């Protein structure tokens, strides 16, 4: 598959981009290079390769998800500069 200048103009129109003739030629060349790299990747034998979620194993770096007791209202509001019985008080920012 090859990307023509007409294809680039069509895509630019969809994206609401205004490209001059030089930019259209440049993008057509770039897109054809990308498609060439994709063809090169398609030649790689991946028949026996299992799909991965991550390139590296992250299982060992994450802690177990364990439920804990939530903070009480008193503890959560203890260091607040201004609070009432249940909420943080903040300065009014909307006039």
């Amino acid at each position: 598959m090859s990307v023509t200048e007409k294809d680039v103009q069509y895509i630019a129109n969809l994206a609401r981009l205004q490209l001059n003739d030089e930019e259209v030629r440049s993008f057509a060349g770039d897109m054809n290079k990308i498609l060439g790299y994709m063809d090169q990747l398609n030649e790689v034998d991946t028949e026996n390769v299992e799909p991965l979620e991550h390139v590296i194993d992250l299982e060992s770096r994450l802690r177990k998800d364990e439920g804990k007791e939530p903070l009480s209202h008193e503890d959560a509001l203890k260091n607040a500069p201004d609070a009432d019985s249940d909420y943080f008080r903040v300065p009014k920012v909307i006039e």
Side-chain angles (χ1 to χ4, degrees):
M1 182 176 158
S2 179
V3 177
T4 64
E5 290 180 13
K6 185 178 178 181
D7 295 330
V8 173
Q9 290 170 339
Y10 177 73
I11 294 168
N13 184 45
L14 290 175
R16 304 290 192 255
L17 298 174
Q18 294 179 353
L19 303 177
N20 61 36
D21 292 339
E22 183 181 325
E23 291 171 325
V24 169
R25 283 190 295 277
S26 175
F27 281 120
D30 291 344
M31 293 172 95
N32 282 317
K33 285 180 186 177
I34 292 169
L35 291 175
Y37 294 139
M38 291 174 63
D39 286 339
Q40 199 174 10
L41 287 173
N42 285 332
E43 294 174 5
V44 176
D45 180 24
T46 58
E47 186 67 31
N48 296 320
V49 177
E50 293 185 32
L52 300 172
E53 280 184 344
H54 299 283
V55 178
I56 57 174
D57 181 24
L58 293 178
E59 295 285 331
S60 61
R61 297 182 182 189
L62 301 176
R63 65 174 172 78
K64 293 205 182 264
D65 189 17
E66 299 171 351
K68 295 182 178 180
E69 288 294 318
L71 287 175
S72 67
H73 280 298
E74 294 79 27
D75 287 341
L77 297 173
K78 181 171 44 178
N79 292 322
D82 189 15
D84 66 10
S85 62
D86 290 323
Y87 304 102
F88 289 97
R89 288 183 183 253
V90 296
K92 185 176 180 179
V93 293
I94 300 175
E95 294 184 28

Coordinates of all heavy atoms in Angstrom, one line a residue:
M1 N 0.8 -1.2 0.0 CA 0.0 0.0 0.0 C 0.9 1.2 0.0 O 1.9 1.3 0.7 CB -0.9 0.0 1.2 CG -1.8 1.1 1.3 SD -2.9 1.0 2.7 CE -3.4 2.6 3.0
S2 N 0.5 2.2 -0.8 CA 1.3 3.4 -0.9 C 0.4 4.6 -0.6 O -0.7 4.6 -1.1 CB 1.9 3.5 -2.3 OG 2.7 4.7 -2.4
V3 N 0.9 5.6 0.1 CA 0.2 6.8 0.4 C 0.5 7.8 -0.7 O 1.6 8.2 -1.0 CB 0.5 7.4 1.7 CG1 -0.2 8.7 2.0 CG2 0.2 6.4 2.8
T4 N -0.5 8.3 -1.4 CA -0.4 9.3 -2.4 C -0.5 10.7 -1.8 O -1.0 10.9 -0.7 CB -1.4 9.1 -3.6 OG1 -2.7 9.4 -3.1 CG2 -1.3 7.7 -4.2
E5 N -0.2 11.7 -2.6 CA -0.4 13.1 -2.2 C -1.9 13.4 -2.0 O -2.3 14.2 -1.1 CB 0.2 14.1 -3.2 CG 1.8 14.0 -3.1 CD 2.4 15.0 -4.1 OE1 1.7 15.9 -4.7 OE2 3.6 14.8 -4.3
K6 N -2.7 12.8 -2.9 CA -4.2 12.9 -2.7 C -4.6 12.4 -1.4 O -5.5 13.0 -0.7 CB -4.9 12.2 -3.9 CG -6.3 12.4 -3.9 CD -7.0 11.8 -5.1 CE -8.5 12.0 -5.1 NZ -9.1 11.3 -6.3
D7 N -4.1 11.3 -0.9 CA -4.4 10.7 0.4 C -4.1 11.6 1.5 O -4.8 11.8 2.4 CB -3.7 9.3 0.6 CG -4.2 8.3 -0.4 OD1 -5.3 8.3 -0.8 OD2 -3.3 7.4 -0.7
V8 N -2.9 12.2 1.4 CA -2.4 13.2 2.4 C -3.4 14.4 2.5 O -3.7 14.9 3.5 CB -1.0 13.6 2.2 CG1 -0.6 14.7 3.1 CG2 0.0 12.4 2.3
Q9 N -3.7 14.9 1.3 CA -4.7 16.1 1.3 C -6.0 15.7 1.9 O -6.6 16.5 2.6 CB -4.8 16.5 -0.2 CG -3.6 17.2 -0.7 CD -3.7 17.5 -2.2 OE1 -4.5 16.8 -2.9 NE2 -2.8 18.4 -2.7
Y10 N -6.5 14.5 1.6 CA -7.7 14.0 2.2 C -7.7 13.9 3.7 O -8.5 14.4 4.4 CB -8.1 12.7 1.6 CG -9.4 12.1 2.2 CD1 -10.6 12.6 1.8 CD2 -9.3 11.0 3.1 CE1 -11.8 12.0 2.4 CE2 -10.5 10.5 3.6 CZ -11.7 11.0 3.3 OH -12.8 10.5 3.8
I11 N -6.6 13.4 4.2 CA -6.4 13.2 5.7 C -6.2 14.6 6.3 O -6.8 14.9 7.4 CB -5.2 12.4 6.0 CG1 -5.4 10.9 5.6 CG2 -4.8 12.4 7.5 CD1 -4.2 10.0 5.5
A12 N -5.5 15.5 5.6 CA -5.3 16.9 6.2 C -6.7 17.6 6.2 O -7.0 18.3 7.2 CB -4.3 17.6 5.3
N13 N -7.5 17.4 5.2 CA -8.8 18.0 5.2 C -9.7 17.5 6.4 O -10.4 18.2 7.0 CB -9.5 17.7 3.9 CG -10.9 18.4 3.8 OD1 -11.0 19.6 4.1 ND2 -11.9 17.7 3.3
L14 N -9.6 16.2 6.6 CA -10.4 15.6 7.8 C -9.9 16.2 9.1 O -10.7 16.4 10.0 CB -10.2 14.1 7.8 CG -10.9 13.3 6.7 CD1 -10.5 11.8 6.8 CD2 -12.4 13.5 6.8
A15 N -8.6 16.4 9.2 CA -8.0 17.0 10.4 C -8.0 18.5 10.5 O -7.6 19.1 11.4 CB -6.5 16.5 10.6
R16 N -8.7 19.1 9.4 CA -8.8 20.6 9.3 C -7.4 21.2 9.3 O -7.2 22.2 10.0 CB -9.6 21.1 10.5 CG -11.0 20.6 10.6 CD -11.9 21.0 9.4 NE -13.3 20.7 9.5 CZ -13.9 19.7 8.9 NH1 -13.3 18.9 8.1 NH2 -15.2 19.5 9.1
L17 N -6.5 20.6 8.6 CA -5.1 21.2 8.5 C -4.9 21.8 7.1 O -5.4 21.2 6.1 CB -4.1 20.1 8.6 CG -4.0 19.4 10.0 CD1 -3.0 18.2 10.0 CD2 -3.6 20.4 11.1
Q18 N -4.2 22.9 7.0 CA -3.9 23.5 5.7 C -2.5 23.2 5.4 O -1.6 23.7 6.2 CB -4.2 25.0 5.8 CG -5.7 25.3 5.9 CD -5.9 26.8 5.9 OE1 -5.0 27.6 6.0 NE2 -7.2 27.2 5.9
L19 N -2.2 22.4 4.4 CA -0.8 22.1 4.1 C -0.5 22.7 2.7 O -1.3 22.6 1.8 CB -0.6 20.6 4.0 CG -1.0 19.8 5.3 CD1 -0.8 18.3 5.1 CD2 -0.1 20.3 6.5
N20 N 0.7 23.2 2.5 CA 1.2 23.6 1.2 C 1.7 22.4 0.5 O 1.8 21.3 1.0 CB 2.2 24.7 1.3 CG 3.5 24.3 2.0 OD1 3.9 23.2 1.9 ND2 4.0 25.2 2.8
D21 N 2.0 22.6 -0.8 CA 2.4 21.4 -1.7 C 3.7 20.7 -1.1 O 3.8 19.5 -1.2 CB 2.7 21.9 -3.1 CG 1.4 22.3 -3.8 OD1 0.3 21.9 -3.3 OD2 1.5 23.1 -4.8
E22 N 4.6 21.5 -0.6 CA 5.9 20.9 -0.1 C 5.6 20.0 1.1 O 6.1 19.0 1.3 CB 6.8 22.0 0.3 CG 8.2 21.5 0.8 CD 9.1 22.7 1.2 OE1 9.1 23.7 0.5 OE2 9.9 22.5 2.2
E23 N 4.7 20.5 2.0 CA 4.3 19.7 3.2 C 3.6 18.5 2.8 O 3.8 17.4 3.4 CB 3.5 20.6 4.1 CG 4.2 21.7 4.8 CD 3.3 22.7 5.6 OE1 2.2 22.9 5.1 OE2 3.7 23.2 6.6
V24 N 2.7 18.6 1.8 CA 2.0 17.4 1.3 C 3.0 16.3 0.8 O 2.9 15.1 1.2 CB 1.0 17.7 0.2 CG1 0.4 16.5 -0.4 CG2 -0.1 18.6 0.8
R25 N 4.0 16.7 0.0 CA 5.0 15.8 -0.5 C 5.8 15.2 0.7 O 6.1 14.0 0.7 CB 5.9 16.5 -1.5 CG 5.3 16.7 -2.9 CD 6.3 17.2 -3.9 NE 6.9 18.5 -3.5 CZ 6.3 19.7 -3.9 NH1 5.1 19.6 -4.5 NH2 6.8 20.8 -3.5
S26 N 6.2 16.0 1.6 CA 6.9 15.6 2.8 C 6.2 14.5 3.6 O 6.7 13.5 3.9 CB 7.3 16.8 3.6 OG 8.0 16.3 4.8
F27 N 4.9 14.8 3.9 CA 4.1 13.9 4.7 C 3.8 12.6 3.9 O 3.8 11.5 4.5 CB 2.8 14.6 5.1 CG 2.9 15.5 6.3 CD1 2.5 16.8 6.2 CD2 3.3 15.0 7.5 CE1 2.7 17.7 7.2 CE2 3.5 15.9 8.6 CZ 3.1 17.2 8.5
A28 N 3.6 12.7 2.6 CA 3.4 11.5 1.8 C 4.7 10.6 1.9 O 4.6 9.4 2.1 CB 3.1 11.8 0.4
G29 N 5.9 11.2 1.8 CA 7.1 10.4 2.0 C 7.2 9.8 3.4 O 7.6 8.6 3.5
D30 N 6.9 10.6 4.4 CA 7.0 10.1 5.8 C 6.0 9.0 6.0 O 6.4 8.0 6.6 CB 6.7 11.2 6.8 CG 7.8 12.3 6.8 OD1 8.9 12.0 6.3 OD2 7.6 13.4 7.3
M31 N 4.8 9.1 5.5 CA 3.8 8.1 5.7 C 4.2 6.8 5.0 O 4.0 5.7 5.5 CB 2.4 8.6 5.3 CG 1.9 9.7 6.2 SD 0.4 10.4 5.6 CE -0.8 9.5 6.5
N32 N 4.8 6.9 3.8 CA 5.3 5.7 3.1 C 6.4 5.1 3.8 O 6.5 3.8 3.8 CB 5.6 6.1 1.7 CG 4.4 6.3 0.8 OD1 3.5 5.5 0.9 ND2 4.4 7.3 0.0
K33 N 7.3 5.8 4.5 CA 8.4 5.2 5.3 C 7.8 4.5 6.4 O 8.2 3.4 6.8 CB 9.3 6.3 5.8 CG 10.3 6.9 4.8 CD 11.1 7.9 5.4 CE 12.0 8.6 4.4 NZ 12.8 9.7 5.0
I34 N 6.8 5.0 7.1 CA 6.1 4.4 8.2 C 5.5 3.0 7.8 O 5.7 2.0 8.4 CB 5.1 5.3 8.9 CG1 5.7 6.5 9.6 CG2 4.2 4.5 9.9 CD1 4.8 7.6 10.0
L35 N 4.8 3.1 6.6 CA 4.2 1.8 6.1 C 5.3 0.8 5.8 O 5.1 -0.4 5.9 CB 3.3 2.1 4.9 CG 2.1 2.9 5.2 CD1 1.3 3.3 3.9 CD2 1.2 2.1 6.2
G36 N 6.5 1.3 5.3 CA 7.6 0.4 5.0 C 8.1 -0.3 6.2 O 8.4 -1.5 6.2
Y37 N 8.2 0.5 7.3 CA 8.6 -0.1 8.6 C 7.6 -1.1 9.1 O 8.0 -2.1 9.7 CB 8.8 1.0 9.7 CG 9.9 2.0 9.4 CD1 9.8 3.3 9.6 CD2 11.2 1.5 8.9 CE1 10.9 4.2 9.3 CE2 12.2 2.4 8.6 CZ 12.1 3.7 8.9 OH 13.1 4.6 8.6
M38 N 6.3 -0.8 8.9 CA 5.3 -1.8 9.3 C 5.4 -3.0 8.5 O 5.2 -4.1 9.1 CB 3.9 -1.1 9.2 CG 3.7 0.0 10.2 SD 2.1 0.9 10.0 CE 0.9 -0.4 10.3
D39 N 5.7 -2.9 7.2 CA 5.8 -4.2 6.4 C 7.0 -5.0 6.9 O 7.0 -6.2 6.9 CB 6.0 -3.8 4.9 CG 4.7 -3.3 4.3 OD1 3.7 -3.7 4.8 OD2 4.8 -2.6 3.2
Q40 N 8.1 -4.2 7.3 CA 9.3 -4.9 7.8 C 8.9 -5.7 9.1 O 9.4 -6.8 9.3 CB 10.4 -3.9 8.1 CG 11.7 -4.4 8.2 CD 12.7 -3.2 8.3 OE1 12.4 -2.1 8.4 NE2 14.0 -3.6 8.2
L41 N 8.1 -5.0 10.0 CA 7.7 -5.7 11.2 C 6.8 -6.9 11.0 O 6.9 -7.9 11.7 CB 7.0 -4.7 12.1 CG 7.8 -3.7 12.8 CD1 7.0 -2.7 13.5 CD2 8.8 -4.3 13.8
N42 N 6.0 -6.8 9.9 CA 5.1 -8.0 9.6 C 5.9 -9.2 9.1 O 5.4 -10.3 9.1 CB 4.1 -7.6 8.5 CG 3.0 -6.7 9.1 OD1 2.7 -6.7 10.2 ND2 2.5 -5.8 8.2
E43 N 7.2 -9.0 8.7 CA 8.0 -10.1 8.3 C 8.6 -10.9 9.5 O 9.0 -12.1 9.3 CB 9.2 -9.6 7.4 CG 8.7 -9.0 6.1 CD 9.9 -8.4 5.3 OE1 11.0 -8.5 5.8 OE2 9.6 -7.8 4.3
V44 N 8.5 -10.4 10.7 CA 9.1 -11.0 11.8 C 8.1 -12.1 12.3 O 6.9 -12.0 12.3 CB 9.2 -10.0 13.0 CG1 9.7 -10.7 14.3 CG2 10.2 -8.9 12.6
D45 N 8.7 -13.3 12.6 CA 7.9 -14.5 13.0 C 7.5 -14.3 14.4 O 8.4 -14.4 15.3 CB 8.7 -15.8 12.8 CG 7.9 -17.0 13.2 OD1 6.7 -16.9 13.2 OD2 8.6 -18.0 13.5
T46 N 6.3 -14.1 14.7 CA 5.8 -14.0 16.1 C 4.8 -15.1 16.5 O 4.0 -14.9 17.4 CB 5.1 -12.6 16.3 OG1 4.0 -12.5 15.3 CG2 6.0 -11.5 16.0
E47 N 4.9 -16.2 15.8 CA 4.0 -17.3 16.0 C 4.0 -17.8 17.4 O 3.0 -18.1 18.0 CB 4.3 -18.4 15.0 CG 3.4 -19.6 15.0 CD 2.0 -19.2 14.5 OE1 1.9 -18.3 13.6 OE2 1.0 -19.8 15.0
N48 N 5.2 -18.0 18.0 CA 5.3 -18.6 19.3 C 5.6 -17.6 20.4 O 6.0 -17.9 21.5 CB 6.4 -19.6 19.3 CG 6.1 -20.8 18.4 OD1 4.9 -21.2 18.4 ND2 7.1 -21.3 17.7
V49 N 5.2 -16.3 20.2 CA 5.5 -15.2 21.1 C 4.1 -14.9 21.8 O 3.1 -14.7 21.2 CB 6.0 -14.0 20.5 CG1 6.2 -12.8 21.5 CG2 7.3 -14.3 19.8
E50 N 4.2 -15.0 23.2 CA 2.9 -14.7 23.9 C 2.7 -13.2 24.0 O 3.7 -12.5 24.2 CB 3.0 -15.3 25.3 CG 3.0 -16.8 25.3 CD 3.0 -17.4 26.7 OE1 2.4 -16.7 27.6 OE2 3.6 -18.4 26.9
P51 N 1.5 -12.7 24.0 CA 1.3 -11.3 24.1 C 1.7 -10.8 25.5 O 1.6 -11.5 26.5 CB -0.3 -11.2 23.9 CG -0.7 -12.5 23.4 CD 0.3 -13.5 23.7
L52 N 2.1 -9.6 25.6 CA 2.6 -9.0 26.8 C 1.7 -7.8 27.2 O 1.2 -7.1 26.3 CB 4.0 -8.5 26.7 CG 5.1 -9.5 26.4 CD1 6.4 -8.8 26.1 CD2 5.3 -10.5 27.5
E53 N 1.5 -7.6 28.5 CA 0.9 -6.4 29.0 C 2.0 -5.3 29.1 O 1.7 -4.1 28.8 CB 0.3 -6.6 30.4 CG -1.1 -7.2 30.3 CD -1.7 -7.3 31.7 OE1 -1.0 -7.1 32.7 OE2 -2.9 -7.5 31.8
H54 N 3.2 -5.7 29.6 CA 4.3 -4.8 29.7 C 5.5 -5.5 29.2 O 5.6 -6.7 29.3 CB 4.4 -4.4 31.2 CG 3.3 -3.7 31.8 ND1 3.0 -2.4 31.5 CD2 2.3 -4.2 32.6 CE1 1.9 -2.0 32.2 NE2 1.4 -3.1 32.8
V55 N 6.5 -4.7 28.8 CA 7.7 -5.2 28.3 C 8.5 -5.8 29.5 O 9.2 -6.8 29.3 CB 8.6 -4.1 27.6 CG1 9.9 -4.7 27.2 CG2 7.8 -3.6 26.4
I56 N 8.4 -5.2 30.7 CA 9.1 -5.7 31.8 C 8.1 -6.3 32.8 O 6.9 -5.9 32.8 CB 10.0 -4.7 32.5 CG1 9.2 -3.5 32.9 CG2 11.2 -4.2 31.6 CD1 9.9 -2.4 33.7
D57 N 8.6 -7.2 33.7 CA 7.7 -7.8 34.7 C 7.4 -6.8 35.8 O 8.3 -6.5 36.6 CB 8.3 -9.1 35.2 CG 7.4 -9.7 36.2 OD1 6.2 -9.5 36.2 OD2 7.9 -10.5 37.1
L58 N 6.2 -6.2 35.9 CA 5.9 -5.3 36.9 C 5.3 -5.9 38.2 O 5.1 -5.3 39.2 CB 4.9 -4.2 36.4 CG 5.5 -3.3 35.3 CD1 4.3 -2.4 34.8 CD2 6.6 -2.5 35.8
E59 N 5.0 -7.2 38.1 CA 4.4 -7.9 39.2 C 5.2 -7.7 40.5 O 4.7 -7.5 41.6 CB 4.2 -9.4 38.9 CG 3.3 -9.6 37.8 CD 1.8 -9.5 38.2 OE1 1.5 -9.6 39.3 OE2 1.0 -9.1 37.3
S60 N 6.5 -7.8 40.4 CA 7.4 -7.8 41.6 C 7.5 -6.4 42.2 O 8.0 -6.3 43.3 CB 8.7 -8.4 41.3 OG 9.4 -7.6 40.3
R61 N 7.1 -5.4 41.4 CA 7.4 -4.0 41.9 C 6.1 -3.4 42.5 O 6.2 -2.3 43.0 CB 7.8 -3.1 40.7 CG 9.1 -3.6 40.2 CD 9.6 -2.7 39.1 NE 10.8 -3.3 38.6 CZ 11.6 -2.7 37.7 NH1 11.2 -1.5 37.2 NH2 12.7 -3.2 37.3
L62 N 5.0 -4.1 42.5 CA 3.8 -3.5 43.0 C 3.4 -4.2 44.3 O 3.6 -5.5 44.4 CB 2.6 -3.7 42.0 CG 2.9 -3.0 40.6 CD1 1.7 -3.4 39.7 CD2 3.0 -1.5 40.8
R63 N 2.9 -3.5 45.2 CA 2.5 -4.1 46.5 C 1.2 -4.8 46.3 O 0.4 -4.5 45.4 CB 2.5 -3.1 47.6 CG 1.4 -2.0 47.4 CD 1.3 -1.1 48.6 NE 0.4 0.0 48.3 CZ -0.9 -0.1 48.4 NH1 -1.5 -1.2 48.6 NH2 -1.7 1.0 48.1
K64 N 0.9 -5.7 47.2 CA -0.4 -6.3 47.2 C -1.5 -5.3 47.5 O -1.3 -4.4 48.4 CB -0.5 -7.5 48.1 CG 0.4 -8.6 47.7 CD -0.1 -9.9 48.3 CE 0.8 -11.0 48.0 NZ 0.4 -11.7 46.8
D65 N -2.7 -5.4 46.9 CA -3.8 -4.5 47.2 C -4.5 -5.0 48.4 O -5.2 -6.0 48.3 CB -4.7 -4.4 46.0 CG -5.7 -3.4 46.1 OD1 -5.6 -2.5 46.9 OD2 -6.7 -3.4 45.3
E66 N -4.3 -4.4 49.5 CA -4.9 -4.8 50.8 C -5.8 -3.7 51.3 O -5.4 -2.5 51.4 CB -3.9 -5.2 51.8 CG -3.0 -6.3 51.3 CD -1.8 -6.6 52.2 OE1 -1.5 -5.7 53.1 OE2 -1.1 -7.6 52.1
G67 N -7.0 -4.0 51.8 CA -7.8 -3.1 52.4 C -7.3 -2.6 53.8 O -6.8 -3.4 54.5
K68 N -7.5 -1.4 54.1 CA -7.1 -0.8 55.4 C -8.2 0.0 55.9 O -9.1 0.5 55.1 CB -5.8 0.0 55.3 CG -4.6 -0.8 54.9 CD -3.3 0.0 54.9 CE -2.1 -0.8 54.5 NZ -0.9 0.0 54.5
E69 N -8.1 0.3 57.2 CA -9.1 1.2 57.8 C -9.0 2.6 57.2 O -7.8 3.1 57.1 CB -9.0 1.2 59.3 CG -9.4 -0.1 60.0 CD -10.9 -0.3 59.8 OE1 -11.7 0.6 59.9 OE2 -11.3 -1.5 59.5
P70 N -10.0 3.3 56.9 CA -9.9 4.7 56.4 C -9.6 5.6 57.5 O -9.8 5.3 58.7 CB -11.3 5.0 55.8 CG -12.2 4.0 56.5 CD -11.4 2.8 56.8
L71 N -9.1 6.8 57.2 CA -8.8 7.8 58.2 C -10.1 8.3 58.8 O -11.1 8.4 58.1 CB -8.1 9.0 57.6 CG -6.7 8.9 57.2 CD1 -6.2 10.1 56.5 CD2 -5.8 8.6 58.4
S72 N -10.1 8.6 60.1 CA -11.3 9.1 60.7 C -11.3 10.6 60.3 O -10.3 11.2 59.8 CB -11.1 9.0 62.2 OG -10.1 9.8 62.7
H73 N -12.5 11.2 60.5 CA -12.6 12.7 60.2 C -11.7 13.5 61.0 O -11.0 14.4 60.5 CB -14.1 13.1 60.5 CG -15.1 12.8 59.4 ND1 -15.0 13.3 58.1 CD2 -16.2 12.1 59.4 CE1 -16.0 12.9 57.4 NE2 -16.7 12.1 58.2
E74 N -11.5 13.1 62.3 CA -10.6 13.9 63.1 C -9.2 13.8 62.6 O -8.5 14.9 62.6 CB -10.7 13.4 64.6 CG -12.0 13.6 65.2 CD -13.1 12.6 64.8 OE1 -12.7 11.4 64.4 OE2 -14.3 12.9 64.8
D75 N -8.7 12.6 62.2 CA -7.3 12.5 61.8 C -7.1 13.2 60.4 O -6.1 13.8 60.2 CB -7.0 11.0 61.6 CG -6.8 10.3 62.9 OD1 -6.5 11.1 63.9 OD2 -6.8 9.1 63.0
A76 N -8.1 13.2 59.5 CA -8.0 13.8 58.2 C -8.0 15.3 58.4 O -7.3 16.0 57.6 CB -9.2 13.4 57.3
L77 N -8.7 15.9 59.3 CA -8.8 17.3 59.5 C -7.8 17.9 60.5 O -7.7 19.1 60.7 CB -10.2 17.7 59.9 CG -11.3 17.4 58.9 CD1 -12.7 17.7 59.5 CD2 -11.1 18.2 57.6
K78 N -7.0 17.0 61.1 CA -6.1 17.4 62.2 C -5.1 18.5 61.8 O -4.9 19.4 62.5 CB -5.4 16.2 62.7 CG -4.4 16.4 63.9 CD -3.9 15.1 64.5 CE -3.5 14.1 63.4 NZ -2.9 12.9 64.0
N79 N -4.6 18.4 60.6 CA -3.6 19.4 60.2 C -4.1 20.4 59.2 O -3.3 21.2 58.6 CB -2.4 18.7 59.5 CG -1.6 17.8 60.5 OD1 -1.4 18.2 61.6 ND2 -1.2 16.7 60.1
A80 N -5.4 20.5 59.1 CA -6.0 21.5 58.2 C -5.8 22.9 58.8 O -6.1 23.0 60.0 CB -7.5 21.2 58.0
P81 N -5.5 23.9 57.9 CA -5.4 25.2 58.5 C -6.7 25.8 59.0 O -6.7 26.6 59.9 CB -4.8 26.0 57.3 CG -4.9 25.2 56.1 CD -5.2 23.8 56.5
D82 N -7.8 25.4 58.4 CA -9.1 25.8 58.8 C -10.1 24.7 58.5 O -10.2 24.2 57.4 CB -9.5 27.1 58.1 CG -10.7 27.8 58.7 OD1 -11.2 27.4 59.8 OD2 -11.3 28.7 58.0
A83 N -10.9 24.3 59.5 CA -11.9 23.3 59.2 C -13.0 23.4 60.2 O -12.9 24.0 61.3 CB -11.2 21.9 59.5
D84 N -14.2 22.9 59.8 CA -15.3 22.8 60.7 C -15.4 21.4 61.1 O -14.5 20.6 61.0 CB -16.6 23.4 60.1 CG -17.1 22.6 59.0 OD1 -16.6 21.5 58.7 OD2 -18.1 23.1 58.3
S85 N -16.5 20.9 61.6 CA -16.6 19.6 62.1 C -16.4 18.5 61.1 O -15.9 17.4 61.4 CB -17.9 19.4 62.8 OG -19.0 19.5 61.9
D86 N -16.8 18.7 59.8 CA -16.7 17.7 58.8 C -15.9 18.0 57.6 O -15.6 17.1 56.8 CB -18.1 17.3 58.4 CG -18.9 16.5 59.4 OD1 -18.3 15.7 60.2 OD2 -20.1 16.8 59.5
Y87 N -15.6 19.3 57.3 CA -15.0 19.7 56.1 C -13.8 20.6 56.2 O -13.7 21.3 57.2 CB -16.1 20.4 55.2 CG -17.3 19.7 55.0 CD1 -18.5 19.9 55.8 CD2 -17.4 18.6 54.1 CE1 -19.6 19.2 55.6 CE2 -18.5 17.9 53.9 CZ -19.6 18.2 54.6 OH -20.8 17.4 54.4
F88 N -13.0 20.6 55.2 CA -11.9 21.6 55.1 C -12.6 22.9 54.7 O -13.5 23.0 53.9 CB -10.9 21.3 53.9 CG -10.0 20.1 54.2 CD1 -10.4 18.8 53.8 CD2 -8.9 20.2 55.0 CE1 -9.6 17.7 54.0 CE2 -8.1 19.2 55.2 CZ -8.4 17.9 54.7
R89 N -12.1 24.0 55.3 CA -12.6 25.3 54.9 C -11.5 26.0 54.0 O -10.3 25.9 54.4 CB -12.8 26.2 56.1 CG -14.0 25.9 56.9 CD -14.2 26.9 58.0 NE -15.3 26.5 58.9 CZ -16.4 27.2 58.9 NH1 -16.6 28.2 58.1 NH2 -17.4 26.8 59.7
V90 N -11.9 26.5 52.9 CA -11.0 27.1 51.9 C -11.5 28.5 51.6 O -12.7 28.8 51.7 CB -10.8 26.3 50.6 CG1 -10.2 25.0 50.9 CG2 -12.2 26.1 49.9
P91 N -10.6 29.4 51.2 CA -11.0 30.8 50.8 C -11.9 30.7 49.6 O -11.8 29.9 48.7 CB -9.7 31.5 50.5 CG -8.6 30.6 51.0 CD -9.2 29.3 51.2
K92 N -12.9 31.6 49.5 CA -13.8 31.7 48.4 C -12.9 32.2 47.2 O -12.2 33.2 47.3 CB -14.9 32.7 48.7 CG -15.9 32.8 47.6 CD -17.0 33.8 48.1 CE -18.1 33.9 47.0 NZ -19.2 34.8 47.4
V93 N -13.1 31.5 46.0 CA -12.3 31.9 44.9 C -13.2 32.4 43.8 O -12.7 33.0 42.8 CB -11.5 30.7 44.3 CG1 -10.4 30.3 45.3 CG2 -12.4 29.5 44.0
I94 N -14.5 32.3 43.9 CA -15.5 32.8 42.9 C -16.2 34.0 43.5 O -16.7 34.0 44.6 CB -16.5 31.7 42.5 CG1 -15.8 30.5 41.9 CG2 -17.5 32.3 41.5 CD1 -16.7 29.4 41.6
E95 N -16.2 35.1 42.7 CA -16.8 36.3 43.3 C -18.3 36.4 42.8 O -18.7 35.8 41.9 CB -16.1 37.5 42.7 CG -14.7 37.6 43.3 CD -14.0 38.9 42.8 OE1 -14.6 39.9 42.6 OE2 -12.8 38.8 42.7

